[in-house]
Amino acid sequence: MIVNERKTPEGRLVSVCDEAILGETFDNDGVPFEVTEEFYDGEPADEDRVVASLARARVANIVGSEAVDLAVEHGFVEEGNVLDLGGTAHAQLLRLG
């Protein structure tokens, strides 16, 4: 997996993706979803690093079956909130307050 952390005025923004889908585009009912290097490229990360990054996130975008499954497994995302983007999974995390 690949993780990218950014500090923003609103808090930490984390993006996570499966390494194999970086640069891919998926069709979501006629709407393309791009896993762009500009947004998702970062550092290779093992499961522990991804979990630690998601724990610090105010907002997170997670794409790819491996990354989303990990987020669900650790309680960051509910499985019912995972989207199927025509070949891969996508989820978002937003912490309020």
Side-chain angles (χ1 to χ4, degrees):
M1 288 174 282
I2 298 172
V3 67
N4 189 326
E5 294 189 32
R6 299 169 183 87
K7 292 181 183 177
T8 73
E10 293 79 26
R12 185 175 307 270
L13 169 62
V14 173
S15 57
V16 181
C17 76
D18 292 1
E19 190 169 359
I21 64 170
L22 184 63
E24 296 288 325
T25 300
F26 297 90
D27 185 270
N28 183 26
D29 292 326
V31 178
F33 179 86
E34 297 180 56
V35 185
T36 63
E37 290 185 10
E38 180 181 43
F39 187 77
Y40 285 97
D41 198 15
E43 299 178 14
D46 62 12
E47 290 185 6
D48 291 338
R49 168 86 193 278
V50 171
V51 168
S53 290
L54 291 174
R56 292 188 295 268
R58 177 70 178 251
V59 175
N61 289 278
I62 310 153
V63 65
S65 299
E66 182 182 6
V68 171
D69 286 349
L70 185 65
V72 169
E73 177 185 330
H74 287 273
F76 295 109
V77 175
E78 292 184 22
E79 192 165 349
N81 294 327
V82 174
L83 301 175
D84 177 359
L85 297 181
T88 196
H90 181 266
Q92 293 182 309
L93 165 70
L94 173 62
R95 288 197 176 92
L96 302 174

